[in-house]
Amino acid sequence: MNANSRLRRMWADKVLYVMLMPAAAFFAIFHVWPILGMRLAFYEYRILGDHVYVGFKYFKELFGTPIFSQVLANTLIISAMKMFLIFPLPILFALMLNEFVNGKFRKAVQIISYLPHFLSWVVIAGIWFEFLSKSNGIVNDVIRLFGFPAHDFLTDKAAIRWVLVASEAWRNIGWDSIIFLAAILGINKSLYEAAYVDGANRWQIVTRIILPHLYVPMVTVFILNVGFIMNAGLDQVLNFTNASVNSKVDIIDTYVYRVGLINGQYSFATAANLFKSVIGVILVLSTHFLSKKLTSKGAW
Amino acid sequence: MRKIGFPLVMAAMVATTACSTGDNKPSASTTPASADQTNQQPVTISIVAKDLPVDDPNSQKFIKGIEEGMKAEGKNVKLQIVPVQSGTYSEKLGLLLQSGNIPDLIYFQGGDYNFAITQQILEDLTPYIEKSTHVKASMTEFNKERLKNYPYLVWLAPISSKIPVVRQDLFNKAPSGKTLLSDPTIDNYYTFFKELKEKSGAKFAYTTAGDIDELDVVFGQAFGLTSTWIKGADGKYVYSKTTLAEKEKLEFYAKLYKEGLLDPEYLTKKFDTKEKAFYDGQAGVIAGTQGKVIDIYNTKSVGQNGPGANILPLPPAKGKAQGYTPVDVSKESRGFAIAKTSKNKEMAFAVLEFLASPKGQMLDKLGVEGEEYQIVNGKIKLTDKFAAWYPHFVENTVNFKPDKEFDPSTPYLSEPALKSLEMFSSMSTKDNAFIMPAELAAKWDAASAVYKEFAADMVTGKKSGADFDKFVQAWNAAGGKDITDYANKTLK
């Protein structure tokens, strides 16, 4: 396609480009332009006077910090747990919603499942603390009902990461299912009719028609999720952590918040964020190309 | 096109890092004041403070009161509040200052070290305080000591230390209470806690918000933890939390936890849930900051549970020593600073001086006459509006001497609050903690995390005294050794 025909095509789609402009402006202002500010990672910032170029000083400080390996491991483990364990749930939830015949009931379930997404982690932590309370939480009430001793999940090093995964799933399953439900609802009805005529049952409809239509959104969402593997959830961890389990949930974000932002070490905090961003970009690109090679489908 | 998009962005980013250094000069926020203040335009002093929202009627009233009060003294000043984004104040303030917007008068609630030492944008307040009358008179010995060690912040408030309190109605149900007040040994405290749980209806004797600091308030010194750094037999300092005294203390806490005297969910308690447990009668004892906070506890407790539920401050336990948590005098943890960039430093300090004056303290502490308080029969009577007023600058009552008495029905501080101030000042000692240098911040963070986790595990029974030596090794490995070496160089 030469430049002229490309321009003509763009002109024909001018309304779509106008619609794209606010989003493009948003990303340019709030996501692309700040990349220039990342240079702070290589400077000793001075409010008064010139900044001092220090090269990789803050990266060395970050990697040399006594608990860097621990916070990096926690970040990767928690992120990986969330990514692999939560990823299938919105798809299953969307499939389940699609099976409801009663449209009103389906809408009600959908709305209720979206609600937690709009709650802050402060509120969610409060709710979960009540759920899991050793003395009067509903979870321990059920455990006691079966004759087992109550368990303090929130201070148990082995359980706390599962609590993070479960609370994240509870918050986001409904919301994350929207994209998959939209894809399901977009499937041409004639495909279902043809399948029924051929004698397909519900299971075969799901496995032969619906799931293949979900491959593209699944791959896209998965690849985009990989890019966030270094973001294990600052707000969530800050609200769920306590002295007993901090070594299991202290992630790069909470560490940088504590040592960098609270103490005003902005160059150090920027270095940590740049490190996270570079890792994220590398992972997204490599996952995309790997997916292209294996399935001929990628993020773009 | 798509293939080169990403490399282009990355190249742009790398290129920017090699650019010349940015020169970020803060804009002057004010114009210098002339020496003669009469018949002049008012001098604008910009101020940033927590809980001083621009659109809050009380803030506006307060600012107007300061301006009028200072004008009456011949100082024509206009105070301009600089808004801070909502969120964690210390973090948002840091971002504001880092952007080059530096007000004349800055309230810090932590995070000041970077601006005082690394960025060097804060003024040394020593000469201003030397020349002052009212600010100097409003300082406690602890404040003076802190200013000597770190002359960038001034904070005219009672030392933010906690003391344990119990509800009087619950206290009365424990027969050992009287013995405890006259002889507060560790054993007597233990007996009192047991009786509180068994006889007062409380679910547990003591609760804290997430850690054992508020329990140390009572028992730390009794176990011999009289300072952060303790001199050993060899003359070298060791971190108190790595000593046998700490081990004994944690074993005692573990006993309290095991017997249900310490809240089984203290680790996940926050300040609000801790206080709620206290007002609801679930927790017998909590710790609160002496003075105004105890006053609030008293008001809320009586409001919820009736006049018998007033608050009774408790003494620290008696053992190897006796005292509340030793007071860190290395620096003020919060307070007001003056920017080096200010064109009107003298006038900025004059604001603090006015607020520490008798007139200023009346305004700061009590509000506006006719609204927050009235003069009835020659006495100060606080109105209902006073409940929404609190001091922003001078919480200390060290130099608060109103020319009129308070009406007995509305005292400035309740009896328990006054008692807490008295008890703290008679039973508090100085600590020898020092300012942690920036290069040790990461190690201090790591070593502190090791301690906090071990303490939590030992109290809750996941670990025992047998693991203490391993903890000490882990603490040293996490950076504690380097910090101890630094302590031995720093402490005289």
Side-chain angles (χ1 to χ4, degrees):
Chain A
M1 190 186 281
N2 63 31
N4 274 344
S5 60
R6 185 174 289 162
L7 281 172
R8 267 200 302 275
R9 195 173 153 184
M10 283 174 76
W11 182 248
D13 292 334
K14 57 185 177 293
V15 176
L16 295 177
Y17 282 101
V18 169
M19 285 170 70
L20 179 70
M21 274 173 70
F26 172 83
F27 279 96
I29 294 164
F30 294 107
H31 289 269
V32 179
W33 180 248
I35 290 173
L36 302 182
M38 285 285 192
R39 64 186 174 152
L40 184 59
F42 303 92
Y43 286 92
E44 195 168 279
Y45 188 83
R46 287 270 176 260
I47 297 174
L48 305 177
D50 294 344
H51 310 328
V52 184
Y53 181 74
V54 292
F56 287 89
K57 176 190 167 187
Y58 293 110
F59 291 93
K60 286 175 191 159
E61 260 181 40
L62 176 68
F63 302 144
T65 197
I67 54 173
F68 178 73
S69 55
Q70 179 184 288
V71 297
L72 180 62
N74 286 340
T75 305
L76 293 172
I77 291 167
I78 292 167
S79 271
M81 281 173 78
K82 285 180 180 179
M83 208 166 71
F84 292 107
L85 296 173
I86 298 176
F87 177 71
L89 300 180
I91 300 161
L92 294 172
F93 188 69
L95 290 170
M96 193 185 75
L97 284 175
N98 188 52
E99 294 304 305
F100 286 134
V101 182
N102 185 332
K104 278 184 181 171
F105 181 70
R106 183 172 70 187
K107 275 205 170 68
V109 171
Q110 262 179 281
I111 289 165
I112 290 165
S113 70
Y114 296 166
L115 287 178
H117 177 80
F118 297 100
L119 299 177
S120 73
W121 277 112
V122 177
V123 175
I124 292 173
I127 292 168
W128 276 70
F129 282 15
E130 286 296 317
F131 269 155
L132 299 173
S133 166
K134 192 179 174 182
S135 53
N136 55 8
I138 191 164
V139 174
N140 273 306
D141 285 348
V142 172
I143 288 172
R144 274 191 288 261
L145 204 66
F146 286 97
F148 295 103
H151 189 78
D152 194 350
F153 295 96
L154 294 164
T155 61
D156 181 349
K157 289 180 179 61
I160 191 66
R161 286 172 178 163
W162 295 103
V163 172
L164 293 182
V165 172
S167 55
E168 176 89 23
W170 180 78
R171 184 180 190 241
N172 288 331
I173 282 177
W175 186 254
D176 291 350
S177 68
I178 293 174
I179 190 169
F180 300 110
L181 194 63
I184 293 169
L185 296 175
I187 296 171
N188 192 330
K189 296 284 180 290
S190 62
L191 291 174
Y192 295 129
E193 288 160 11
Y196 281 126
V197 168
D198 288 343
N201 58 25
R202 279 308 297 172
W203 176 248
Q204 286 167 322
I205 298 258
V206 169
T207 53
R208 306 290 168 85
I209 295 174
I210 299 177
L211 279 179
H213 277 87
L214 291 182
Y215 284 160
V216 173
M218 274 162 64
V219 169
T220 306
V221 168
F222 185 80
I223 290 172
L224 293 178
N225 283 353
V226 167
F228 292 107
I229 197 158
M230 299 301 279
N231 294 337
L234 170 70
D235 289 352
Q236 184 192 23
V237 172
L238 278 179
N239 282 289
F240 275 87
T241 192
N242 60 66
S244 193
V245 297
N246 200 52
S247 64
K248 297 291 172 193
V249 295
D250 195 18
I251 54 175
I252 292 176
D253 282 340
T254 50
Y255 180 73
V256 167
Y257 177 77
R258 235 180 18 247
V259 177
L261 289 182
I262 296 291
N263 293 326
Q265 309 278 344
Y266 298 105
S267 298
F268 177 84
T270 309
N273 266 312
L274 183 55
F275 164 72
K276 278 174 50 189
S277 305
V278 169
I279 298 285
V281 167
I282 291 167
L283 284 171
V284 165
L285 291 175
S286 47
T287 313
H288 165 75
F289 289 121
L290 189 69
S291 173
K292 274 277 200 207
K293 212 172 179 67
L294 297 176
T295 67
S296 75
K297 290 183 173 65
W300 61 88
Chain B
M1 184 72 196
R2 282 177 309 182
K3 286 178 183 171
I4 61 164
F6 173 72
L8 270 177
V9 171
M10 288 305 286
M13 199 183 81
V14 173
T16 56
T17 63
C19 288
S20 61
T21 58
D23 52 342
N24 189 339
K25 300 279 186 269
S27 54
S29 56
T30 54
T31 46
S34 65
D36 180 20
Q37 263 285 288
T38 48
N39 305 322
Q40 288 282 328
Q41 284 289 88
V43 177
T44 302
I45 296 292
S46 52
I47 174 171
V48 62
K50 192 176 181 282
D51 304 325
L52 206 60
V54 182
D55 50 0
D56 176 50
N58 274 358
S59 297
Q60 291 163 351
K61 201 160 61 176
F62 183 47
I63 294 297
K64 193 167 166 243
I66 297 171
E67 288 169 354
E68 286 172 356
M70 289 183 76
K71 200 167 186 175
E73 293 179 357
K75 293 188 175 75
N76 195 0
V77 70
K78 184 178 181 345
L79 285 178
Q80 184 184 64
I81 301 175
V82 178
V84 190
Q85 286 177 41
S86 59
T88 307
Y89 177 78
S90 57
E91 181 196 337
K92 300 303 178 194
L93 174 68
L95 293 171
L96 176 85
L97 299 178
Q98 205 81 5
S99 72
N101 182 358
I102 309 170
D104 300 300
L105 207 49
I106 309 161
Y107 171 74
F108 281 99
Q109 197 168 28
D112 49 279
Y113 180 87
N114 172 52
F115 298 104
I117 308 299
T118 314
Q119 300 289 352
Q120 298 184 336
I121 63 163
L122 304 185
E123 186 76 358
D124 181 340
L125 298 175
T126 315
Y128 298 88
I129 290 169
E130 281 301 316
K131 284 187 287 180
S132 76
T133 308
H134 304 300
V135 169
K136 202 195 286 186
S138 298
M139 291 173 87
T140 64
E141 285 308 309
F142 291 125
N143 293 135
K144 287 173 186 167
E145 187 81 23
R146 286 172 171 182
L147 190 83
K148 224 187 291 176
N149 294 325
Y150 186 81
Y152 306 102
L153 291 186
V154 61
W155 184 229
L156 304 174
I159 298 304
S160 185
S161 281
K162 299 190 175 190
I163 86 165
V165 290
V166 62
R167 270 172 49 183
Q168 185 75 53
D169 53 349
L170 303 190
F171 177 84
N172 293 343
K173 289 176 183 168
S176 62
K178 285 192 175 69
T179 313
L180 175 77
L181 293 183
S182 58
D183 187 23
T185 60
I186 296 169
D187 288 342
N188 286 344
Y189 250 112
Y190 172 71
T191 307
F192 173 68
F193 282 176
K194 273 185 88 99
E195 283 184 356
L196 263 185
K197 184 175 159 69
E198 288 160 8
K199 294 177 178 166
S200 75
K203 280 171 82 177
F204 32 84
Y206 207 109
T207 191
T208 76
D211 56 35
I212 54 172
D213 292 355
E214 293 178 3
L215 206 49
D216 291 348
V217 163
V218 188
F219 297 106
Q221 293 226 38
F223 280 95
L225 299 157
T226 51
S227 56
T228 300
W229 298 93
I230 292 175
K231 212 173 212 166
D234 58 355
K236 288 195 168 161
Y237 283 100
V238 289
Y239 185 50
S240 63
K241 291 185 180 352
T242 60
T243 61
L244 284 177
E246 177 71 20
K247 183 183 163 188
E248 286 169 17
K249 184 194 80 180
L250 292 176
E251 281 169 340
F252 174 69
Y253 291 174
K255 185 169 123 178
L256 295 180
Y257 184 87
K258 195 176 175 185
E259 295 179 17
L261 304 178
L262 173 61
D263 179 1
E265 291 173 358
Y266 83 92
L267 280 167
T268 52
K269 278 271 191 298
K270 311 280 183 211
F271 282 100
D272 56 342
T273 48
K274 172 193 96 171
E275 288 163 12
K276 186 178 181 299
F278 183 65
Y279 303 137
D280 292 350
Q282 288 186 337
V285 183
I286 59 169
T289 307
Q290 49 147 356
K292 203 69 192 162
V293 172
I294 299 296
D295 200 43
I296 292 165
Y297 284 3
N298 190 62
T299 307
K300 284 191 174 176
S301 178
V302 169
Q304 186 172 319
N305 303 294
N310 58 298
I311 302 299
L312 178 70
L314 294 170
K318 197 166 71 178
K320 288 176 182 162
Q322 187 183 18
Y324 296 112
T325 300
V327 178
D328 180 354
V329 290
S330 61
K331 70 188 280 290
E332 294 288 3
S333 60
R334 57 178 63 187
F336 283 91
I338 294 174
K340 259 196 180 140
T341 51
S342 171
K343 299 281 192 295
N344 295 299
K345 298 184 183 84
E346 293 287 345
M347 189 57 91
F349 188 81
V351 173
L352 296 178
E353 179 70 353
F354 167 75
L355 283 158
S357 72
K359 249 188 181 177
Q361 286 203 54
M362 284 293 284
L363 172 70
D364 190 31
K365 287 187 169 71
L366 304 183
V368 176
E369 186 179 345
E371 296 196 40
E372 278 75 26
Y373 70 96
Q374 292 165 336
I375 306 297
V376 180
N377 301 328
K379 288 184 176 164
I380 301 167
K381 191 168 171 57
L382 304 174
T383 66
D384 291 342
K385 275 189 175 179
F386 178 73
W389 191 274
Y390 51 91
H392 284 82
F393 287 82
V394 188
E395 201 185 305
N396 256 347
T397 48
V398 174
N399 195 34
F400 182 46
K401 300 179 182 88
D403 55 1
K404 293 177 182 66
E405 279 179 44
F406 280 89
D407 188 293
S409 64
T410 59
Y412 177 62
L413 284 175
S414 62
E415 199 186 324
L418 286 169
K419 182 109 177 92
S420 72
L421 289 167
E422 282 166 27
M423 286 173 79
F424 177 80
S425 68
S426 64
M427 285 185 276
S428 54
T429 54
K430 278 186 209 170
D431 192 16
N432 59 1
F434 48 83
I435 299 170
M436 203 55 68
E439 60 272 18
L440 286 176
K443 286 180 176 173
W444 180 240
D445 174 77
S448 298
V450 169
Y451 166 74
K452 282 178 187 165
E453 182 155 340
F454 176 76
D457 286 349
M458 193 163 156
V459 172
T460 53
K462 295 185 187 87
K463 292 226 162 89
S464 70
D467 301 303
F468 195 81
D469 289 346
K470 272 188 205 157
F471 146 68
V472 175
Q473 284 167 15
W475 185 85
N476 280 315
K481 189 186 174 301
D482 294 343
I483 294 162
T484 307
D485 291 345
Y486 181 81
N488 277 293
K489 281 182 205 151
T490 305
L491 296 169
K492 308 285 183 291

